[in-house]
Amino acid sequence: MKAGIVGLPNVGKSTLFNCLSNAKAQSANFPFCTIEPNIGVVNVPDTRLQKLEELVKPERVLPATVEIVDIAGLVKGASKGEGLGNQFLGNIRETDAILHVLRCFDNENIVHVDGSVNPVRDKETIDIELQLKDLETVDKKLEKVKRAAKTGNKEAQKEEAVLLKIKQGLETGTSVRALDISKEDRAEFVKPLQFITDKPVMYVCNVDEDAATTGNAYVEQVKAAVANENAEVIFLAVGTEADITELESYEERQMFLEDLGLTEPGSAKLIRGAYKLLDLETYFTAGVKEVRAWTIPVGATAPQAAGVIHTDFEKGFIRAEVIAYNDFVSYGSEAKVKEAGKMRVEGKEYIVKDGDVMHFRFNV
């Protein structure tokens, strides 16, 4: 599962990517600096993992990860191939969620591709390009479906109605994710077409250091503009975050954050947000060899969760031994949880809950 960082040139995408992944993607004050999409595998900050480490004292600790992709800056006309348009749109189609970076700071030394700072206009520029690309997709599909619908095919007629609704929405500037389409119709007719504007989105407002804790007027403008989109808006000072990641020690980084009035880097909030945006959650395995966070889709069953460790675990699944995270912490060890009768045995139908501490029994 991948989240793609998108935005106009020079809004801070590559600097943000560097903060998140500590990979040093080239970052320069001109457009199209990032041509091939850079991919970073980023650890998901989780205080529960640290607590389990304190209690179990394992040989090693492995956090959950999420893939972040830094995609080339988009310009007007991308849907017609302007700039790196086709490449950009191909790269974004391959991601599962969008982190849309908006410039919400003034700085005369950093060129704005449209000449002035206006995050709402910038958002609309990108939305329009993505909507135009989705319009191409829906038009192509409609050609085929209309022919089948004319023959009286009931399923094709149903699909045609959904596609016409999407077409009408896109033509009036509404992204696919914001359209009122039933869950069943989305699964059957919308998902297979991989519409770019159907991907979940988080708006990341890049502010200056003075606005790192409170945001600013630009952030408020963005919040008002996306109020009907059911999208999260966060703000962080990307340049400042980059300075923090350059510091050698944890203590130095904490002092820097405290000076700014922050309890943690904004990037940590963003990574957790991306994880949630991708509809992912975490379960843990906890033993003296390792304490580890495993990533699963929300709603995964116990066998599916076991399969993340190894496919054999899923094939030969017998049962799962489950401890709720809060029980593990309050009793302090697996042995004490068992003594208190708080360990549960769950079968194939069990839906894993975020934070479950699990052992799997299997036979291949």
Side-chain angles (χ1 to χ4, degrees):
M1 299 289 275
K2 293 187 287 199
I5 300 177
V6 306
L8 292 174
N10 288 349
V11 295
K13 297 185 312 302
S14 293
T15 309
L16 175 62
F17 175 80
N18 290 339
C19 287
L20 296 177
S21 64
N22 286 333
K24 299 298 175 199
Q26 187 191 1
S27 172
N29 185 14
F30 56 88
F32 312 134
C33 171
T34 311
I35 295 176
E36 289 304 316
N38 292 287
I39 298 179
V41 178
V42 182
N43 291 340
V44 179
D46 194 329
T47 53
R48 297 174 301 182
L49 202 56
Q50 292 153 353
K51 191 69 190 166
L52 289 172
E53 182 183 8
E54 282 170 29
L55 295 170
V56 179
K57 297 181 173 51
E59 289 173 22
R60 63 177 186 164
V61 178
L62 293 168
T65 58
V66 63
E67 274 192 16
I68 305 284
V69 187
D70 178 26
I71 295 167
L74 180 94
V75 293
K76 267 182 202 156
S79 56
K80 298 182 182 68
E82 292 290 325
L84 297 166
N86 292 330
Q87 196 173 342
F88 169 95
L89 293 159
N91 292 334
I92 197 172
R93 200 181 288 283
E94 288 167 21
T95 65
D96 303 286
I98 296 170
L99 305 175
H100 187 159
V101 182
L102 295 165
R103 177 171 169 175
C104 293
F105 65 90
D106 295 303
N107 185 333
E108 290 172 10
N109 298 320
I110 298 177
V111 181
H112 189 291
V113 75
D114 284 333
S116 63
V117 177
N118 183 334
V120 174
R121 177 203 59 209
D122 295 352
K123 170 203 168 311
E124 286 167 358
T125 297
I126 288 202
D127 281 353
I128 288 165
E129 296 304 327
L130 302 186
Q131 287 160 2
L132 286 169
K133 203 66 188 170
D134 279 350
L135 206 47
E136 274 180 34
T137 304
V138 81
D139 281 341
K140 274 184 198 161
K141 185 68 177 174
L142 262 169
E143 273 178 43
K144 293 177 187 170
V145 172
K146 275 180 173 172
R147 286 197 291 271
K150 276 179 186 164
T151 67
N153 181 318
K154 290 276 186 284
E155 193 65 12
Q157 287 170 352
K158 193 176 170 189
E159 184 171 9
E160 183 186 22
V162 173
L163 294 176
L164 286 169
K165 187 172 192 174
I166 290 170
K167 180 178 166 70
Q168 190 181 2
L170 291 168
E171 284 174 343
T172 54
T174 305
S175 293
V176 177
R177 77 178 78 83
L179 293 170
D180 183 20
I181 297 169
S182 75
K183 202 174 175 183
E184 296 74 26
D185 285 349
R186 275 191 182 276
E188 194 172 351
F189 305 125
V190 182
K191 284 287 175 211
L193 292 174
Q194 288 186 295
F195 289 111
I196 299 173
T197 67
D198 191 35
K199 296 179 191 293
V201 65
M202 179 197 289
Y203 294 99
V204 182
C205 297
N206 182 10
V207 299
D208 53 25
E209 190 173 306
D210 293 343
T213 53
T214 55
N216 58 21
Y218 291 133
V219 175
E220 295 312 311
Q221 288 165 21
V222 172
K223 284 180 178 174
V226 306
N228 66 340
E229 281 192 40
N230 193 24
E232 192 175 348
V233 178
I234 69 165
F235 58 87
L236 64 158
V238 174
T240 307
E241 297 274 333
D243 293 340
I244 293 170
T245 59
E246 295 295 325
L247 296 171
E248 293 297 318
S249 73
Y250 173 78
E251 288 73 21
E252 283 180 298
R253 291 195 289 273
Q254 286 306 110
M255 280 170 63
F256 197 139
L257 287 168
E258 280 168 25
D259 287 346
L260 291 171
L262 297 170
T263 53
E264 66 173 357
S267 52
K269 188 169 59 173
L270 187 144
I271 295 163
R272 283 197 299 271
Y275 197 68
K276 192 174 158 194
L277 202 61
L278 291 163
D279 214 21
L280 300 174
E281 61 186 10
T282 302
Y283 76 87
F284 302 103
T285 51
V288 288
K289 285 277 180 205
E290 77 174 22
V291 165
R292 183 164 182 167
W294 298 90
T295 300
I296 51 169
V298 171
T301 61
Q304 288 166 337
V308 173
I309 298 175
H310 197 288
T311 50
D312 285 352
F313 283 31
E314 185 171 2
K315 283 181 200 156
F317 179 89
I318 300 169
R319 66 179 185 272
E321 294 167 357
V322 184
I323 302 169
Y325 169 78
N326 287 340
D327 286 340
F328 199 108
V329 170
S330 60
Y331 288 98
S333 72
E334 188 178 310
K336 285 180 181 168
V337 170
K338 282 181 180 171
E339 273 173 38
K342 291 287 186 179
M343 179 185 274
R344 306 189 315 275
V345 175
E346 300 286 0
K348 289 183 178 179
E349 305 302 313
Y350 178 66
I351 303 296
V352 179
K353 293 178 180 60
D354 187 52
D356 278 350
V357 181
M358 305 183 79
H359 281 299
F360 298 104
R361 301 292 174 201
F362 70 101
N363 183 21
V364 176

